[in-house]
Amino acid sequence: MNALLSPPVARALKSLEELQAAGLIAPQDVPSLAGIGEHYAVAVTPVMAALIDPADKNDPIARQFIPDAAELVRLPEERDDPIGDAAHSPVPGIVHRYPDRVLLKAVHVCPVYCRFCFRREMVGPQGLGTLTPPEMDAAFAYIAGHPEIWEVILTGGDPLVLSPRRLRAITERLAAIDHVKVVRFHTRVPVVEPGRVDAALVEALKASGKAVYLALHANHSREFTAEAKQACARLVDAGIVMVSQSVLLRGVNDDVETLAALMRSFVENRIKPYYLHHPDLAPGTSHFRLTIEEGQALVAGLRGRISGLCQPAYILDIPGGHGKAVISASTIASEGGGCYTVTDFRGNAHSYPPRAD
């Protein structure tokens, strides 16, 4: 291990005091962060703590997980429920925003707590907790009673914090609902706590007769440790299709080279880049947000420079529960009369169809 990195820790660090003891927060900074520790959940797994260089004030791993006084700044446009889950929740744990799919939020606990989390008001020890057995029954009854539901997406919280036994109980119930054809898990576990991804957990994720997908959330190529790569390989080798989701974050991945390295890391580990999210308007997260124009320029910078396999969709969740929109800059504009101007990855404009000489 690099001598500049943090010393190993035996378990997740879950308080400002524990982060200070591990050398990840300076003692003089603890008082200014007290309000954050009281309001928002804190947790950093040993794997992530080991990646942090405390001497680097711009460390991209630390920026994702270590509390920052900037979180105490709340802007007027920020919302407790920035993507409007509550407006589309017919029963506890279910979000039915789109006709053919639902979110199933069985648990609101995570192995790590991202400082930019859009559900930061709902997750953690003081959050919405885990669904009770009657609430789980009601959630499955809702899914079974709506034949238009083709896909169920387990999110939260992080569903992979559940034991294999509890995960197996969920997948078995979904397997029994004929109109559900796809089961998807959204998780950070393979990179932040890869030891959890053992044979029992992998087997528990399988739903008989269903296509099973796993969306892995990672934001920097350094998150792909040797252990993380092994965890991803166990999932893919078992037939679970993996896709990615990342958040475009100032100070973490907001340059073309870093973003390209992240997307290549996904593909090298047999994970198809899927979504690159523009940061949501969660409370206390303005220091992470780029402008949409900055994001569009970064995504355009990937085009033509790295493989088409590495290109994610740049996505904005429209505040208020109105769903996702692709917000990549358009590369084509109409000139009228069936003619267009198309911009290549170098920024050069071309006519389509080409004009005759």
Side-chain angles (χ1 to χ4, degrees), residues 30 55 81 92 97 258 329:
V30 173
D81 183 13
R97 194 187 328 269
T258 301

Side-chain angles (χ1 to χ4, degrees), residues 98-119:
Y98 301 100
D100 72 337
R101 56 201 182 276
V102 296
L103 304 182
L104 173 56
K105 299 192 291 184
V107 63
H108 288 84
V109 176
C110 300
V112 293
Y113 291 104
C114 304
R115 310 320 306 164
F116 50 87
C117 178
F118 68 95
R119 291 196 178 113

Side-chain angles (χ1 to χ4, degrees), residues 216-290:
L216 174 65
H217 176 186
N219 298 311
H220 196 279
S221 60
R222 274 174 50 196
E223 296 174 48
F224 283 91
T225 61
E227 295 79 10
K229 292 177 181 179
Q230 292 165 5
C232 293
R234 286 192 286 273
L235 291 160
V236 177
D237 289 345
I240 294 171
V241 181
M242 293 187 69
V243 297
S244 80
Q245 58 176 1
S246 303
V247 185
L248 186 58
L249 299 166
R250 190 177 297 283
V252 175
N253 54 24
D254 59 334
D255 63 83
V256 172
E257 291 75 18
T258 301
L259 205 53
L262 172 62
M263 296 304 150
R264 284 176 169 148
S265 293
F266 283 127
V267 173
E268 290 165 11
N269 287 282
R270 295 178 285 172
I271 302 165
K272 176 66 181 78
Y274 181 43
Y275 279 164
L276 176 64
H277 291 273
H278 190 78
D280 294 306
L281 297 174
T285 62
S286 62
H287 54 297
F288 286 109
R289 288 196 294 275
L290 291 76

Side-chain angles (χ1 to χ4, degrees), residues 3-345:
L4 294 177
L5 299 184
S6 304
V9 296
R11 57 182 179 80
L13 306 170
K14 296 186 177 182
S15 69
L16 299 179
E17 292 73 23
E18 290 180 349
L19 291 173
Q20 177 192 336
L24 299 177
I25 292 179
Q28 63 270 22
D29 293 338
V30 173
S32 66
L33 299 174
I36 299 169
E38 292 168 2
H39 191 73
Y40 297 119
V42 174
V44 184
T45 57
V47 173
M48 290 297 100
L51 289 179
I52 294 172
D53 179 359
D56 181 3
K57 62 184 179 62
N58 297 314
D59 185 277
I61 307 301
R63 188 161 170 83
Q64 293 183 66
F65 304 118
I66 304 301
D68 187 309
E71 294 176 51
L72 296 172
V73 178
R74 178 166 180 158
L75 301 185
E77 63 269 25
E78 294 178 338
R79 306 177 177 205
D80 290 349
D81 183 13
I83 70 169
D85 279 354
H88 299 280
S89 184
V91 298
I94 292 288
V95 178
H96 196 173
R97 194 187 328 269
Y98 301 100
D100 72 337
R101 56 201 182 276
V102 296
L103 304 182
L104 173 56
K105 299 192 291 184
V107 63
H108 288 84
V109 176
C110 300
V112 293
Y113 291 104
C114 304
R115 310 320 306 164
F116 50 87
C117 178
F118 68 95
R119 291 196 178 113
R120 62 193 326 218
E121 297 285 347
M122 309 172 194
V123 299
Q126 297 177 332
L128 298 181
T130 301
L131 292 185
T132 65
E135 288 172 334
M136 285 292 284
D137 290 342
F140 280 107
Y142 182 88
I143 295 168
H146 287 75
E148 74 274 19
I149 297 174
W150 174 80
E151 180 182 23
V152 175
I153 303 166
L154 284 106
T155 181
D158 193 318
L160 267 62
V161 302
L162 295 171
S163 68
R165 178 185 62 81
R166 296 185 71 178
L167 284 168
R168 189 179 308 108
I170 291 172
T171 54
E172 286 176 352
R173 292 183 77 168
L174 291 174
I177 303 173
D178 185 63
H179 57 263
V180 173
K181 303 300 182 183
V182 178
V183 177
R184 191 195 326 171
F185 296 88
H186 282 196
T187 183
R188 253 190 177 285
V189 163
V191 291
V192 303
E193 200 171 13
R196 273 188 174 270
V197 186
D198 58 13
L201 184 140
V202 172
E203 190 62 28
L205 298 180
K206 298 178 181 179
S208 179
K210 314 299 182 187
V212 178
Y213 287 74
L214 187 145
L216 174 65
H217 176 186
N219 298 311
H220 196 279
S221 60
R222 274 174 50 196
E223 296 174 48
F224 283 91
T225 61
E227 295 79 10
K229 292 177 181 179
Q230 292 165 5
C232 293
R234 286 192 286 273
L235 291 160
V236 177
D237 289 345
I240 294 171
V241 181
M242 293 187 69
V243 297
S244 80
Q245 58 176 1
S246 303
V247 185
L248 186 58
L249 299 166
R250 190 177 297 283
V252 175
N253 54 24
D254 59 334
D255 63 83
V256 172
E257 291 75 18
T258 301
L259 205 53
L262 172 62
M263 296 304 150
R264 284 176 169 148
S265 293
F266 283 127
V267 173
E268 290 165 11
N269 287 282
R270 295 178 285 172
I271 302 165
K272 176 66 181 78
Y274 181 43
Y275 279 164
L276 176 64
H277 291 273
H278 190 78
D280 294 306
L281 297 174
T285 62
S286 62
H287 54 297
F288 286 109
R289 288 196 294 275
L290 291 76
T291 66
I292 287 176
E293 290 79 10
E294 288 174 316
Q296 289 173 328
L298 285 169
V299 173
L302 295 178
R303 187 165 44 88
R305 289 174 169 80
I306 58 175
S307 167
L309 291 172
C310 299
Q311 306 291 330
Y314 183 32
I315 295 294
L316 174 70
D317 263 299
I318 303 169
H322 302 291
K324 293 179 173 62
V326 178
I327 58 171
S328 301
S330 177
T331 58
I332 190 166
S334 175
E335 297 177 352
C339 296
Y340 301 86
T341 298
V342 186
T343 304
D344 67 23
F345 72 93

